[in-house]
């Protein structure tokens, strides 16, 4: 676009109950050079990180299953979602956050993670950038049961399954979570289990 400039940005706080919801009003310059006032609601929940845990010897991945109320109110009959391990960044550090989340959610303590990409997850309304990682796990890295942090009411079930089965779950709709689909597809495209 030739124009697309923004000016006169005004922010109004609508809610800060869980995270922050702002109404942002601004002037936007159109392609013909004229200016128009627009407003959008922007939900700021912070940035996050997600990881695909994989084991090359067993050709397996570790996923989680937990209740997600927004999916329940939008047609997910039981409200449960199968997902990769993920969490909101602590102190802005994606790598350290994801290692901590892996231990809390799955019980595995991993040292090496590799960032593979990052993405805005819902750029029309949510400010979040998600940092995507992969990390290899071994059975001897399991130091706890996982299940999530007690003070965060997560109640997470840990699922280990063959990678090919996870792809089938994605194809049949048993996995509907975007970040999980993205990481499984990344692993398939990059032939993670064929090395």
């Amino acid at each position: 676009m030739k124009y697309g400039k923004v000016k006169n940005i005004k922010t109004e706080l609508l809610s800060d109950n869980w995270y922050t919801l702002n109404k942002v009003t601004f002037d936007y310059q159109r392609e013909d050079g004229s200016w128009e006032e627009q407003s959008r609601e922007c939900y700021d929940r912070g940035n996050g990180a997600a990881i695909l845990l994989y084991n090359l010897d067993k050709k397996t991945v570790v996923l989680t299953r937990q209740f997600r109320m927004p999916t329940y109110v939008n047609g997910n009959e039981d409200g449960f979602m199968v997902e990769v391990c993920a969490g909101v960044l602590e102190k802005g550090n994606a790598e350290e956050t994801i290692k901590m989340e892996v231990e809390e959610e799955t019980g595995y303590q991993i040292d090496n993670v590799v960032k593979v990409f990052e993405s805005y997850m819902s750029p029309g309304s949510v400010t979040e950038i998600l940092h995507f990682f992969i990390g290899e796990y071994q059975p001897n890295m399991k130091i706890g049961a996982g299940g999530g942090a007690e003070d965060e009411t997560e109640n997470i079930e840990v699922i280990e399954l063959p990678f090919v089965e996870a792809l089938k779950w994605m194809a049949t709709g048993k996995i509907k979570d975007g970040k999980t689909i993205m990481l499984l597809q990344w692993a398939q495209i990059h032939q993670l289990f064929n090395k």
Side-chain angles (χ1 to χ4, degrees):
M1 276 183 99
K2 184 176 178 183
Y3 295 99
K5 294 180 184 173
V6 177
K7 66 180 182 180
N8 299 328
I9 301 169
K10 297 180 228 70
T11 302
E12 175 189 354
L13 179 66
L14 299 179
S15 174
D16 63 355
N17 184 40
W18 188 253
Y19 294 110
T20 305
L21 178 63
N22 287 307
K23 178 180 178 182
V24 181
T25 305
F26 56 96
D27 293 335
Y28 180 84
Q29 190 174 26
R30 299 165 44 106
E31 281 195 51
D32 66 6
S34 65
W35 290 88
E36 68 183 3
E37 185 178 84
Q38 296 184 10
S39 66
R40 299 288 185 272
E41 289 182 1
C42 297
Y43 188 58
D44 186 351
R45 59 179 310 274
N47 294 324
I51 188 166
L52 180 65
L53 294 172
Y54 67 95
N55 181 286
L56 291 178
D57 297 329
K58 298 194 295 180
K59 297 193 181 322
T60 54
V61 294
V62 169
L63 302 175
T64 64
R65 183 175 183 266
Q66 62 182 306
F67 181 77
R68 298 295 198 181
M69 176 53 81
T71 74
Y72 182 77
V73 298
N74 194 24
N76 184 6
E77 288 184 13
D78 65 4
F80 281 90
M81 296 288 288
V82 176
E83 308 175 29
V84 291
C85 178
V88 176
L89 297 192
E90 303 278 337
K91 300 176 185 169
N93 188 317
E95 186 173 316
E96 291 307 311
T97 294
I98 203 58
K99 289 177 184 177
M100 181 187 67
E101 290 291 336
V102 165
E103 188 172 333
E104 284 179 4
E105 292 188 6
T106 71
Y108 286 94
Q109 187 175 59
I110 61 171
D111 293 324
N112 297 317
V113 298
V114 176
K115 185 173 177 180
V116 291
F117 61 93
E118 61 184 53
S119 175
Y120 285 99
M121 294 305 293
S122 188
S125 59
V126 181
T127 62
E128 178 186 35
I129 294 173
L130 197 59
H131 303 266
F132 289 82
F133 292 88
I134 60 170
E136 190 167 6
Y137 73 95
Q138 298 295 335
N140 65 347
M141 295 176 175
K142 186 89 168 167
I143 62 166
E150 287 185 27
D151 62 339
E152 295 179 15
T153 63
E154 292 178 310
N155 303 308
I156 294 169
E157 176 187 352
V158 181
I159 303 168
E160 182 180 37
L161 74 160
F163 176 66
V164 294
E165 188 68 16
L167 294 178
K168 288 178 188 173
W169 285 17
M170 186 177 66
T172 62
K174 193 168 183 178
I175 292 176
K176 290 185 177 180
D177 174 65
K179 64 187 175 297
T180 304
I181 292 169
M182 292 167 76
L183 277 168
L184 290 172
Q185 288 179 337
W186 184 94
Q188 187 176 29
I189 290 167
H190 291 86
Q191 300 183 11
L192 183 64
F193 288 92
N194 296 333
K195 295 183 178 184

